[in-house]
Amino acid sequence: MSLLSERAAGRSKPSASSARHGHKLVATDRLANDGTRADAIPYYTGGHEDQACIRVRAALNLSIMGTVVDIFAQIFRNLWAHKLRSFLTMFGIAWGVGSLLLLVGVGEGFRSGNKRELAEFGRNIMFIFPGRAPAVKGSMNSAHPYLLTYQDYVDIRKQAPHVGNACPVLSRTDLHEVSEFASAGVEILGVEPQLNEISYLPLKEGRWLNEMDEEQGRNVIVLGNELLKTLFPGRPAVGAFVLLNGLRFEVIGSMPHLGRGDNTWLNMRGYIPFPVMATYFPLKGENHQNSISFVEYQPRMTAEHQLAQDDVHKIIARNHVLDASDENAFDGWDSIQESKMVGTIFDVMNMFLGAVGMVTLALGAIGVINIMLVAVSERTHEIGLRKALGATNRSILFHFFLEGLLLTVSSGLIGMGLATALMAMLGTVRGPGGFDPPKLVPMSAMLAIGSLTLAGVVAGLYPARKAAMLQPVEALRQE
């Protein structure tokens, strides 16, 4: 067999014994043991030596695995030898983590529930209702009521520069609805087709009102979910007919259930074209010609909601001879402002719950630190014995690091698991309106487990390092 590389003069050739066993001599550039360059130091591969290397590597891997197994076995023996101490440590960590996650989870459930309820109205919705005009600014003693008119809506739609969309609404609750199966008496709204662009009005089947229904004055109706169940229990409704105070309307669509639980007021409704409502079912009372119940509108952009409200107030004040700067003269509702107020409340509540959770977490951390300090300090004798038997400072600290890490992480995961299970149980209970079931917040879980793990590991490593720095004889003298 020939040399694969021979770059230096005087390089030794393979022996006959090597050639007979089929060994291959490889020249390679490596560093000698003393750090100098050894050019093309030959080494052999293959044959009996290669098999020996494999056996050595396998033995080394088994040795490492055995060492790791021995370390964990020793850790579990130490924990079992002090069962009560270990249990109290784990209980303190699990309690701190679980309490924090439950507090934050309840707050997050409250936040999401209120956001969901606001979203059920629609996105960025604002209302203007009929109000009372004070004779003297700021005084409601001599105020007289006024009604909104369809012309108010038209002016808002055309002349309010910061209003992006608007819809007039006529509402009557005294109409009688009759199908061939049942009867009901719910709220009927006369609206224009763009209402579903402002409010959240999903369809379960059929279609929504369109411009042709409005232009041709079609007698058509879209049913809310509860009204659908009342008038057509378990039966198809689209294409059927309903009588409104004896007037025949075709059902063109129905809506799914809106809201949670027993909140049915959004579902006990029917929607018909505004011109049909204004013709057959106008508002009752004197001087109610062309009157409407309210106007629903949206700002062009969320940040312009206050400007949109000012535009609407100026138009209403002009049309009804009011003082536009007198807030008492207008009755409205701004879901954007309401959302901001609710968000502020949630932020304060989250700060409070977070502070309570952090105090609970800190108390748990103090308990863990005390227990770990005592537990490791009592094992100074054991550390001295290990050093006397040849253990290094690094191996001792690594042992205590693994022990603290295993104890704290497992306890934190147990606390997180218990909190998650309790949240899942609470999720099966129907809460009041505006409350969603508690939700696990991953960032809070990471913070809680990470902080308690850090506290436990540091509390274990500090006395362990002090003991490891002692001479074996001095450590063995410790009681």
Side-chain angles (χ1 to χ4, degrees):
M1 179 172 296
S2 61
L3 284 172
L4 295 178
S5 175
E6 192 167 7
R7 295 182 299 172
R11 177 169 298 163
S12 59
K13 297 180 183 288
S15 64
S17 174
S18 298
R20 283 195 304 271
H21 287 88
H23 297 171
K24 185 182 297 182
L25 180 63
V26 179
T28 183
D29 293 339
R30 296 184 297 167
L31 294 177
N33 292 333
D34 58 357
T36 60
R37 186 173 183 82
D39 187 46
I41 298 176
Y43 64 93
Y44 291 97
T45 61
H48 298 302
E49 284 81 357
D50 199 21
Q51 295 297 324
C53 289
I54 294 175
R55 287 195 293 271
V56 169
R57 292 193 190 96
L60 183 59
N61 291 335
L62 289 175
S63 176
I64 294 174
M65 291 178 60
T67 301
V68 173
V69 171
D70 289 342
I71 290 175
F72 278 99
Q74 180 64 32
I75 289 173
F76 284 113
R77 281 195 296 270
N78 290 334
L79 296 178
W80 185 253
H82 304 89
K83 293 183 289 292
L84 180 59
R85 180 185 296 162
S86 301
F87 170 76
L88 292 176
T89 305
M90 297 182 72
F91 178 79
I93 297 173
W95 178 264
V97 171
S99 300
L100 178 64
L101 295 184
L102 279 175
L103 287 172
V104 176
V106 169
E108 188 62 26
F110 186 40
R111 177 192 290 270
S112 64
N114 277 268
K115 281 187 174 181
R116 176 185 46 76
E117 284 207 336
L118 285 175
E120 286 174 356
F121 287 101
R123 184 173 176 269
N124 299 338
I125 298 181
M126 303 177 72
F127 296 87
I128 184 68
F129 302 101
R132 299 179 67 203
V136 179
K137 182 176 180 180
S139 175
M140 300 300 294
N141 294 329
S142 58
H144 63 276
Y146 66 89
L147 297 173
L148 299 179
T149 65
Y150 188 78
Q151 187 60 44
D152 292 331
Y153 154 70
V154 173
D155 291 343
I156 290 172
R157 189 76 184 267
K158 294 181 178 179
Q159 300 174 16
H162 298 97
V163 173
N165 204 351
C167 179
V169 179
L170 260 176
S171 173
R172 291 275 299 268
T173 58
D174 58 343
L175 303 182
H176 194 54
E177 302 84 36
V178 179
S179 72
E180 58 180 311
F181 307 105
S183 63
V186 300
E187 183 181 22
I188 300 298
L189 301 178
V191 299
E192 292 187 351
Q194 70 269 20
L195 180 66
N196 70 338
E197 301 173 4
I198 304 173
S199 291
Y200 176 65
L201 297 172
L203 285 175
K204 180 180 179 181
E205 57 182 350
R207 66 173 178 86
W208 179 249
L209 306 173
N210 59 34
E211 293 181 358
M212 293 298 295
D213 298 327
E214 186 177 25
E215 292 174 1
Q216 298 178 9
R218 296 173 179 172
N219 290 2
V220 292
I221 186 171
V222 177
L223 304 178
N225 190 257
E226 291 298 324
L227 182 57
L228 171 70
K229 292 179 180 179
T230 302
L231 296 180
F232 299 94
R235 292 174 173 85
V238 176
F241 292 91
V242 173
L243 297 180
L244 298 184
N245 280 13
L247 196 63
R248 195 170 185 237
F249 282 76
E250 181 184 359
V251 179
I252 60 171
S254 65
M255 300 168 60
H257 185 82
L258 301 177
R260 291 183 61 206
D262 298 328
N263 184 12
T264 60
W265 68 275
L266 286 172
N267 302 286
M268 297 295 288
R269 284 178 168 180
Y271 301 86
I272 65 176
F274 183 89
V276 176
M277 185 77 174
T279 301
Y280 296 110
F281 311 114
L283 294 180
K284 292 182 177 180
E286 296 181 1
N287 300 320
H288 281 43
Q289 292 81 9
N290 295 323
S291 296
I292 60 177
S293 300
F294 56 90
V295 177
E296 189 170 334
Y297 63 99
Q298 277 180 326
R300 286 191 313 163
M301 294 183 292
T302 304
E304 296 179 348
H305 70 101
Q306 191 60 52
L307 295 175
Q309 186 181 73
D310 293 341
D311 291 341
V312 171
H313 286 183
K314 290 176 181 177
I315 292 173
I316 300 299
R318 183 196 65 199
N319 292 354
H320 297 271
V321 193
L322 306 173
D323 185 356
S325 63
D326 189 358
E327 291 293 330
N328 294 321
F330 307 99
D331 186 11
W333 185 64
D334 184 354
S335 68
I336 302 171
Q337 185 65 29
E338 186 82 9
S339 179
K340 289 182 179 180
M341 293 175 59
V342 172
T344 302
I345 295 173
F346 289 151
D347 291 339
V348 174
M349 184 182 66
N350 281 347
M351 290 175 62
F352 172 75
L353 293 177
V356 173
M358 291 304 294
V359 170
T360 304
L361 199 63
L363 292 176
I366 292 172
V368 171
I369 290 173
N370 285 333
I371 293 175
M372 293 297 292
L373 285 173
V374 172
V376 178
S377 298
E378 289 180 352
R379 294 167 64 182
T380 304
H381 185 83
E382 174 192 332
I383 293 173
L385 182 60
R386 290 190 179 189
K387 292 197 68 175
L389 294 176
T392 62
N393 292 347
R394 179 178 296 179
S395 65
I396 292 173
L397 291 177
F398 182 67
H399 176 91
F400 280 94
F401 170 77
L402 284 182
E403 184 172 330
L405 189 67
L406 178 66
L407 188 68
T408 52
V409 171
S410 59
S411 305
L413 293 176
I414 291 173
M416 184 177 69
L418 292 176
T420 304
L422 185 57
M423 290 180 192
M425 292 175 59
L426 292 175
T428 61
V429 180
R430 178 178 294 178
F435 281 85
D436 279 351
K439 297 182 179 181
L440 180 66
V441 181
M443 185 58 67
S444 298
M446 293 172 59
L447 173 65
I449 296 177
S451 58
L452 285 181
T453 298
L454 180 63
V457 170
V458 172
L461 287 179
Y462 174 70
R465 184 179 181 278
K466 287 182 64 177
M469 297 301 292
L470 297 175
Q471 296 296 324
V473 175
E474 295 180 9
L476 287 170
R477 288 175 181 170
Q478 301 290 327
E479 294 295 335

